[in-house]
Structure formats: structure tokens, C-alpha cells
Amino acid sequence: MKLQPDRSDVQTITGYGPGWVGVDKDRVDGSVIVGARGVREPWYCGRFEDLTAAHFERLAGLEAEVMIFGSGQRNRFPQPAWLRPLVARGIGLETMDTAAACRTYNILAAEGRNVVAALLLETAQAPAQG
């Protein structure tokens, strides 16, 4: 889906599809952390089942006002214990499927909010050998 941002002075998500997201004019293949204030870095996780507490510890270090977690193709919630570093810093976390997270991120970024989206772009798991 292609998205049209209302405001161009912040980093925006311009489109998304299975396994990719458009950030400004770039196509990003794979999970990514995107922030309205310019943060853009890989988020090394291809499946929800592979997430760990360390993934959320990294998010806590980004000093966002609002954190959006795009949990993949469907809405799934991280383990509450993994959110402790965010809670300790007073950072709110909203969880939704990745498509909704992309749209919500753009709205909050356009409002001038210090928002960061951690977008899980799921990859197919290789079949078991055996």
C-alpha cells in the first residue's frame, strides 16, 4: 500500500507490503526501527517467535515519547517482562499489526510527536531439515 504523508519535514513511511516498508524514498527489506527524528536502523528479528527481551531493551535506549510496536501480520503482544526497560523510562508502548503501526506512526510523526516505530517484517521460516 502506498501512503502519502501530510508533512515532509519528518521521516515518514511511504508504503508497505509483505516483507518490506518504504521509508521516505527508500525501500527497506526486513524488520526496522524508524523514528520521526531520523532514527532508522535494522531491527534484527524476522519472526515474532524470535523476539527477546534484548529487542525491547534496545528500544528503551531511543528516548521516544511514544513507541509503536508493529507485531507482524497480526496483532500479538510481547511478554510483559520484556517491557520493563520502557516502563522504567516512562515510554509508552502501543502494539498493533505492522500495517496499522505504519499508518499510526505517520499520524503521530505529522503531529510533531517524538515517535519511534519498531516494525516486525516477518520472513518465512525455512523448512526443517531432516
Side-chain angles (χ1 to χ4, degrees):
M1 171 179 272
K2 186 170 172 82
L3 301 175
Q4 296 297 324
D6 293 333
R7 187 174 154 176
S8 62
D9 63 339
V10 295
Q11 187 164 238
T12 58
I13 297 172
T14 54
Y16 56 86
W20 68 274
V21 64
V23 181
D24 291 334
K25 296 180 181 178
D26 300 324
R27 178 181 165 126
V28 178
D29 295 307
S31 299
V32 65
I33 299 169
V34 178
R37 298 193 176 163
V39 118
R40 184 190 318 178
E41 60 187 61
W43 201 37
Y44 298 104
C45 189
R47 298 180 325 128
F48 181 85
E49 294 78 15
D50 296 332
L51 286 168
T52 67
H55 288 96
F56 293 89
E57 284 178 33
R58 171 68 192 111
L59 300 178
L62 297 175
E63 301 298 329
E65 174 187 355
V66 177
M67 184 70 59
I68 300 171
F69 168 50
S71 62
Q73 295 179 17
R74 61 187 174 91
N75 193 11
R76 295 171 285 186
F77 295 91
Q79 294 182 25
W82 295 353
L83 305 179
R84 286 187 187 126
L86 293 163
V87 171
R89 292 185 178 207
I91 300 171
L93 179 94
E94 295 294 331
T95 300
M96 55 198 75
D97 66 67
T98 297
C102 290
R103 296 186 301 267
T104 302
Y105 166 86
N106 278 349
I107 291 167
L108 295 174
E111 291 176 350
R113 305 282 299 273
N114 180 11
V115 60
V116 171
L119 304 173
L120 179 62
L121 300 169
E122 296 171 299
T123 56
Q125 182 178 10
Q129 301 291 322

